[in-house]
Amino acid sequence: ISKGGKRMFLSFSYKPYIVIIGDIINSRELEHRKEVQERLKRTLQDINERYNADIAASFMITLGDEFQGLLHNGKNTMKIIEELRSSMYPVRIRFGIGIGEVFTKIDQVETREIDGPCYYSARSAIDYLKKSEKRYHSDEADTRIEIEEDASDCASLMNTVFSLMSVIERNWTERQRAIIYDYALHQDGQEKCAARLEIAQSSVQRGLTNGNYYAYSQALNTINHILGEIQKNDI
């Protein structure tokens, strides 16, 4: 499918939205659960401010261990998820991404009342991840996407990429994770990353290389490219 001479992975006959539902894994077993919830609130506030231009309805906690947000632009979807993941670590979160219509009025304050197929898809993705964790007793992936319309091939492609990213991420050492999270967040080079972490630049280089950061980042950019096709004025 092409649009304006460019190859398109996604095409819709309606205005699509993206819902992100985040669910803290094993939240009842967390120590200092109240502090975790406060950190989540601050992180969501930062996300709402930083990505305001992409957000149709603000990210908010909907249950004690769950939150959600609605996007009308998809280009920063994975950046939002990665920032949430890194900010909340070592607390682990599963993410369900749903693409589809919104049937109700979009209210920035009463976000719990917004409804539509994109929310059903995101909820279905979360439920799938929970069932998979119980069935296989392992975390094959902690992110899944489901799409309302006939785009199953594209969704399958992205879910395969999520699984491969999860394989890379599970093999990170704590040192590699700290380097990768800082480097990816600031995007200002290895020397500044090294200065913030108070380590040698060569240590940053080794951490990125041995942690397969560049393959991880390329996979992330692939997902961002596809979801970036969903724009505010898309019809």
Side-chain angles (χ1 to χ4, degrees), residues 171-183:
N171 287 309
W172 288 345
T173 66
E174 291 303 308
R175 177 69 165 263
Q176 289 168 353
R177 186 182 301 276
I179 291 170
I180 289 169
Y181 279 168
D182 183 273
Y183 185 82

Side-chain angles (χ1 to χ4, degrees), residues 182-183 185-189 191-199:
D182 183 273
Y183 185 82
L185 176 64
H186 295 282
Q187 294 287 319
D188 56 2
E191 291 186 1
K192 291 185 178 180
C193 177
R196 281 188 295 270
L197 298 178
E198 299 181 343
I199 58 178

Side-chain angles (χ1 to χ4, degrees), residues 66-82:
E66 193 173 281
F67 59 89
Q68 67 184 31
L70 181 68
L71 307 177
H72 51 58
N73 280 353
K75 64 180 181 179
N76 288 313
T77 303
M78 293 310 300
K79 289 183 180 180
I80 291 170
I81 288 176
E82 288 297 296

